[in-house]
Amino acid sequence: MDIAEAPQPEYRRACFADLEDLAAIEADVFDEPYLYLMLRQLFELHGSEWLVAELGGAVIGYALTLEKSGRALLFTFAVAKQYQGCGYGRGLLDRALRACGELGTKVMYLTVRPDNHAASNLFKQAGFELVEQDNRYFGEGEPRDVLEYRLFPETELAILNEIPSFVASARNGS
């Protein structure tokens, strides 16, 4: 499907009812997925920081960013396999970056397996830069590339009108 012709998802904050969909995407995409119980605990702590992409009533992707002191970790990010390659991952990533920019985040960073070329290319095409290669990031035999994206809130302010409604409602406490 041509990306220009692909139906556009709704991007919104995650809700508790999304957890089963998130767990299914985890199991679909990752060899060692987070279990439902882990996702539940993450949601309890960081639910308002979790963005989902919903298409036709189904969650097709998610991004969880954890922000502290001007730095945001893209903690987990995935798009269901059947929706990969349609531009949904880039759309989700762009919205996560915009949301962090509105919060005043200076840097978003993430880790990616060096052999995950599709994800690495997505992040690099979006403007992330390799800052470190750590062969033991998660222990022996668990290498990760560390990538960073420098946000410039002044520039991001010019596109605030494009920020989805979930950010506005987050700012208003709803």
Side-chain angles (χ1 to χ4, degrees), residues 93-161:
L93 181 61
D94 287 347
R95 279 150 183 89
L97 286 165
R98 287 177 187 157
C100 287
E102 187 188 57
L103 294 173
T105 303
K106 304 293 186 234
V107 175
M108 180 186 280
Y109 69 103
L110 58 90
T111 65
V112 64
R113 292 185 67 88
D115 61 354
N116 189 343
H117 302 293
S120 186
N121 287 337
L122 169 71
F123 297 129
K124 289 176 181 174
Q125 288 171 0
F128 282 81
E129 297 179 355
L130 177 68
V131 294
E132 181 182 359
Q133 292 178 308
D134 187 335
N135 289 327
R136 297 177 43 93
Y137 191 87
F138 287 121
E140 190 64 38
E142 292 295 331
R144 295 295 185 274
D145 289 343
V146 181
L147 305 176
E148 280 188 356
Y149 183 98
R150 298 213 170 269
L151 291 150
F152 299 101
E154 307 81 27
T155 308
E156 294 294 316
L157 290 175
I159 58 172
L160 284 181
N161 291 334

Side-chain angles (χ1 to χ4, degrees), residues 50-92:
W50 216 316
L51 172 65
V52 297
E54 183 177 48
L55 186 64
V59 174
I60 64 166
Y62 60 84
L64 173 59
T65 55
L66 306 177
E67 194 275 337
K68 182 177 179 181
S69 303
R71 289 179 56 84
L73 168 64
L74 185 57
F75 184 80
T76 186
F77 178 90
V79 172
K81 283 183 181 178
Q82 73 186 75
Y83 295 102
Q84 292 178 4
C86 297
Y88 299 131
R90 180 60 188 265
L92 187 59

Side-chain angles (χ1 to χ4, degrees), residues 25-40:
I25 294 170
E26 277 280 324
D28 180 43
V29 173
F30 297 110
D31 292 334
E32 296 180 24
Y34 289 122
L35 302 175
Y36 179 90
L37 70 99
M38 299 161 95
L39 297 172
R40 167 67 190 259

